[in-house]
Amino acid sequence: MIATMAGAPISIEHVGHGYGPLSVLHDVSLEIAAGSRLAVVGPSGCGKSTLLHLIAGLEQPRAGAISVAGGDLPERRLAGCALMPQDDLLLPWRSALDNAALPLMNAGVGRGQAREAALPLFRRFGLEGFEQEQPRRLSGGMRQRVAFLRTLLAGKGVLLLDEPFASLDALTREELGGWLAETLDQEPRTVVLVTHDVDEALRTCERVAVLSPRPGRLLLDAPSTHLSHDDLMEALRS
């Protein structure tokens, strides 16, 4: 298991947010227990990614409050969260190994020690033999695995995953979705996953929250075991 702080609880209380006259989120409240996994689904533009940015402390909500591990200041939230955006954002001039180890080096760990920490995980993540390859030599699925490994090595208790496999073809996306669920079982964190794929939401997370079209309001928040594909599609159409 990768060394990390324990999964942290997230509290979202009556949050509203927008940009100029545009309202993006309205009165959203969620309680996410430490070590649990929540998927957030909804139509494009409903504020899903904005919600992740707010949790991570990259933005402050216009209304309401958000805390991570009891801390509501932006810097406290940022210190407790690791955000994986839609694009892998791998540095093209660095090897896959150095890209994965980047959070450790940014934290002051020497390059050699950071590489030693990341190297054993390449086999576990199906990347053995590609440690020294630059990103342009990797498939899309491999690049996303490196990006996810980099996110894990940040050692944060909260993982915020913003449609991490949206740019991949359907077959690769399904394969990596199963891999992600298995990996999170081995590396328990508090996870908020944004996705358009209702099957990925049900497969990966214990709970699913559905947001309405913009401004995003909470339409549904229920355990995955109580929901089906059709239930979520009906909620999205409501």
Side-chain angles (χ1 to χ4, degrees):
M1 183 177 294
I2 298 168
T4 178
M5 60 181 287
I10 302 169
S11 179
I12 301 168
E13 301 179 9
H14 303 290
V15 162
H17 197 60
Y19 304 97
L22 181 67
S23 179
V24 177
L25 291 168
H26 178 74
D27 197 26
V28 174
S29 294
L30 289 163
E31 295 293 331
I32 307 168
S36 66
R37 306 202 299 250
L38 172 74
V40 180
V41 299
S44 295
C46 72
K48 301 185 299 297
S49 296
T50 298
L51 183 62
L52 293 189
H53 292 171
L54 291 169
I55 295 171
L58 299 176
E59 301 180 47
Q60 273 289 80
R62 281 185 175 177
I66 299 177
S67 66
V68 174
D72 59 357
L73 295 176
E75 54 269 27
R76 287 282 304 278
R77 304 202 306 272
L78 185 59
C81 298
L83 173 65
M84 181 178 175
Q86 295 178 24
D87 297 325
D88 59 66
L89 301 181
L90 299 181
L91 301 178
W93 61 88
R94 286 184 178 265
S95 67
L97 181 60
D98 281 348
N99 267 288
L102 192 60
L104 298 176
M105 289 186 270
N106 286 344
V109 177
R111 175 172 290 188
Q113 188 178 349
R115 285 173 170 172
E116 287 179 9
L119 186 59
L121 299 168
F122 271 68
R123 183 174 184 179
R124 244 184 66 192
F125 280 50
L127 293 164
E128 189 175 25
F130 293 91
E131 295 87 349
Q132 301 306 323
E133 299 291 348
Q134 290 185 329
R136 62 185 176 83
R137 301 289 299 273
L138 303 177
S139 69
M142 287 180 174
R143 291 172 64 105
Q144 290 302 105
R145 288 181 192 235
V146 173
F148 184 66
L149 176 51
R150 178 186 60 198
T151 306
L152 280 180
L153 282 170
K156 304 299 179 67
V158 175
L159 301 182
L160 305 174
L161 310 179
D162 191 356
E163 298 190 69
F165 307 134
S167 63
L168 304 177
D169 64 84
L171 185 61
T172 304
R173 188 165 61 245
E174 183 175 354
E175 175 191 345
L176 286 185
W179 170 83
L180 176 63
E182 293 175 4
T183 301
L184 290 173
D185 286 340
Q186 299 168 13
E187 296 287 344
R189 314 286 176 95
T190 306
V191 176
V192 182
L193 168 70
V194 160
T195 179
H196 280 98
D197 187 334
V198 297
D199 294 317
E200 180 181 46
L202 292 169
R203 178 175 58 241
T204 307
C205 296
E206 303 148 358
R207 281 169 60 202
V208 181
V210 178
L211 295 182
S212 71
R214 187 175 61 236
R217 297 175 173 85
L218 189 62
L219 297 177
L220 176 69
D221 176 18
S224 301
T225 52
H226 296 178
L227 298 169
S228 68
H229 175 100
D230 290 344
D231 291 332
L232 290 180
M233 294 306 295
E234 181 178 351
L236 287 167
R237 287 192 290 264
S238 64

